[in-house]
Each structure stands twice: as structure tokens, then as C-alpha cells.
């Protein structure tokens, strides 16, 4: 179990090596650009909002308190950023991540996806966005009880550890979607597959959580995690059915 946990972490570092190769960089470029745009836009919006809030909240003559509140504000941004950044960038970059995952699957010995032109790309993009939303709904269903737990004396001691495990598990589900959906699995089936590799999935998710908490590095974390998760489930998910094909004569 411990060996699988650290093996799962290793797949993320392997993902960074994968997207650094010349043939793979173009597939990672679009997700990185998406991350950069989201990062700059949110940082600018939050920074502008802070100045406006301070001007509205602080009475005259108390402007000097701003320099004391900035560190607390920055810490709050970091905590919110870790929880929302991955989900937001994955939602926007889902179609590009699909292409990256399919390329890595082919390199790992999988069959190439059927050629379908722009209509196929559009269908895959809609599917990827839908599954990302499903992960968000699933995360909210569990986040609310955990949030309530943080306010219960005694039990709230365990809340930080549970939040850490919960976020690691969510990231494993988030990134497993790309290779598993490419094999025709719906979100409910994906959860069962990821649960079958729980130690490795948690190790991978924890590594992804740590990397997305590091400014600048988190800009390339998304494509690296997509590539790493794809290799993880391509190599360890041998019992997973391949991409579903329409039965002969159907229709």
C-alpha cells in the first residue's frame, strides 16, 4: 500500500517529463495558456477588489491598517486558490486536456481515437466539460459536511487532515477523467476504477495538490497532471475496458 502511494506520486513527476518532450509540448501549450490567463485575471480582480473593500470598510484615518491586512488577504487568496484553481482551469481547458490525454494514451500503447474531425473534437469537449461539472457537484456534496465538521469542538481537530485527503482524492478523480473517459467510462464508473487504485490515486492527488499550491509552477501543473494520470491508469488499469464501440448494425 505504501509502495503504491509513492508510486502514484511518481506519476506526477513523470507527467512533467512527458510534457517537456518536443513532441508533447504543443499539446500542453494550450492548457498552460489557459492557466496563465485565469491566474492573471483572478489575481487582478482580487487585488482590485481588496483595495475597493478596504476603502469601503476602513474609516477615515485608519488607512494604515491596510499593510497589516494584506498578509491575511494573501493567505486567504492562497487557500481559496488551491481549492478552486484546478477545478476552474480544468473546466476551461477540458477540450485541450482531452487531446493531450489521447496523445499520451497512444504513446502508452493504446489505440488512437477514431477520426471525427471538428465534430468529434466538439463532442469530446462537451463530454469533458460535463464530467468536470460532475466532479464539481460531487465535491460540493462532500465539502459541506466537512465544512460543518470544522465548527464542531473536538472533532474539528481532524478537519485539516480530512480536508487534505479530500482534496487529494478530488484531484485524482479530476485528472483520471481524461484517460478513463477516453475509454468510454462515465463518471460513476470512473470513481469505481479510481477507488480500485486508491493508494496510488491518493499519492498522485496529494502530489498534484502540493504542486498546484506553488505559484508559477502551478501554471504547468494541469497538463503535467493530465499526462501523469493518463500514464497511471494506462499502466495500472489493465482491466479497464477500451473505448466503447457502437455494435454492428446498431441504429
Amino acid at each position: 500500500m505504501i509502495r503504491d502511494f509513492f508510486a502514484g506520486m511518481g506519476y506526477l513527476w513523470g507527467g512533467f517529463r512527458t510534457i517537456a518532450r518536443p513532441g508533447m509540448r504543443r499539446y500542453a501549450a494550450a492548457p498552460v495558456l489557459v492557466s496563465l490567463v485565469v491566474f492573471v485575471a483572478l489575481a487582478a480582480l482580487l487585488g482590485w477588489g481588496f483595495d475597493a473593500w478596504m476603502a469601503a470598510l476602513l474609516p477615515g484615518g485608519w488607512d494604515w491598517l491596510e499593510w497589516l491586512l494584506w498578509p491575511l488577504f494573501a493567505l486567504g487568496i492562497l487557500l481559496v486558490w488551491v481549492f478552486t484553481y484546478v477545478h476552474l482551469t480544468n473546466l476551461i481547458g477540458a477540450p485541450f486536456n482531452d487531446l493531450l490525454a489521447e496523445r499520451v494514451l497512444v504513446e502508452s500503447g493504446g489505440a488512437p481515437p477514431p477520426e471525427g474531425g471538428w465534430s468529434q473534437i466538439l463532442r469530446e469537449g462537451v463530454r469533458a466539460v460535463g464530467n468536470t461539472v460532475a466532479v464539481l457537484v460531487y465535491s460540493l456534496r462532500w465539502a459541506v459536511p466537512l465544512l460543518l465538521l470544522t465548527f464542531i469542538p473536538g472533532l474539528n481537530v481532524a478537519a485539516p487532515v480530512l480536508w487534505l485527503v479530500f482534496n487529494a482524492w478530488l484531484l485524482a478523480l479530476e485528472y483520471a477523467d481524461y484517460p478513463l473517459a477516453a475509454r468510454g467510462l462515465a463518471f460513476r464508473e470512473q470513481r469505481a476504477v479510481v477507488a480500485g487504485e486508491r493508494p496510488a490515486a491518493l499519492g498522485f492527488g496529494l502530489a498534484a495538490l502540493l504542486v498546484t499550491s506553488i505559484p508559477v509552477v502551478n501554471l504547468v501543473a494541469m497538463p503535467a497532471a493530465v499526462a501523469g494520470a493518463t500514464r497511471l491508469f494506462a499502466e495500472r488499469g489493465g482491466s479497464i475496458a477500451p473505448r466503447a464501440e457502437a455494435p454492428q448494425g446498431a441504429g
Side-chain angles (χ1 to χ4, degrees):
M1 181 179 295
I2 295 178
R3 180 179 299 177
D4 289 341
F5 179 85
F6 284 106
M9 297 185 77
Y11 277 100
L12 180 63
W13 316 132
F16 279 102
R17 292 194 296 271
T18 296
I19 65 171
R21 295 205 308 268
M24 299 298 298
R25 290 172 189 165
R26 56 178 175 168
Y27 294 98
V32 170
L33 181 60
V34 168
S35 299
L36 182 61
V37 170
V38 172
F39 180 91
V40 172
L42 284 180
L45 179 63
L46 290 171
W48 173 84
F50 178 80
D51 289 334
W53 295 331
M54 290 300 100
L57 294 176
L58 292 178
W62 290 82
D63 296 345
W64 58 273
L65 272 179
E66 278 198 42
W67 73 273
L68 289 175
L69 294 176
W70 259 111
L72 295 176
F73 177 70
L75 179 60
I77 288 179
L78 179 62
L79 293 175
V80 173
W81 182 263
V82 170
F83 187 76
T84 61
Y85 174 79
V86 173
H87 302 302
L88 182 60
T89 52
N90 277 355
L91 181 62
I92 299 173
F96 309 108
N97 290 336
D98 248 12
L99 296 175
L100 173 60
E102 288 180 344
R103 175 62 180 172
V104 176
L105 276 174
V106 171
E107 281 199 352
S108 301
E115 295 292 336
W118 285 105
S119 62
Q120 175 68 22
I121 294 175
L122 180 61
R123 285 195 300 271
E124 291 292 341
V126 171
R127 192 277 320 151
V129 170
N131 271 23
T132 301
V133 172
V135 174
L136 281 172
V137 173
Y138 173 82
S139 68
L140 290 174
R141 191 176 71 187
W142 288 98
V144 172
L146 279 176
L147 184 61
L148 294 176
L149 182 66
T150 60
F151 296 101
I152 301 177
L155 295 179
N156 58 6
V157 176
V161 175
L162 292 177
W163 272 107
L164 185 67
V165 173
F166 173 65
N167 279 285
W169 177 249
L170 281 184
L171 290 188
L173 287 174
E174 187 90 36
Y175 290 116
D177 168 63
Y178 298 103
L180 298 184
R183 297 183 179 188
L185 300 183
F187 179 60
R188 183 183 298 272
E189 298 168 310
Q190 293 175 24
R191 279 168 29 207
V193 171
V194 176
E197 294 289 341
R198 195 181 304 274
L202 285 174
F204 176 85
L206 180 60
L209 181 63
L210 294 175
V211 169
T212 54
S213 304
I214 304 174
V216 181
V217 176
N218 58 12
L219 296 178
V220 294
M222 178 168 60
V226 171
T230 301
R231 290 203 178 278
L232 191 161
F233 289 100
E235 295 175 8
R236 302 175 70 95
S239 61
I240 303 173
R243 175 189 288 269
E245 300 288 347
Q248 296 295 326

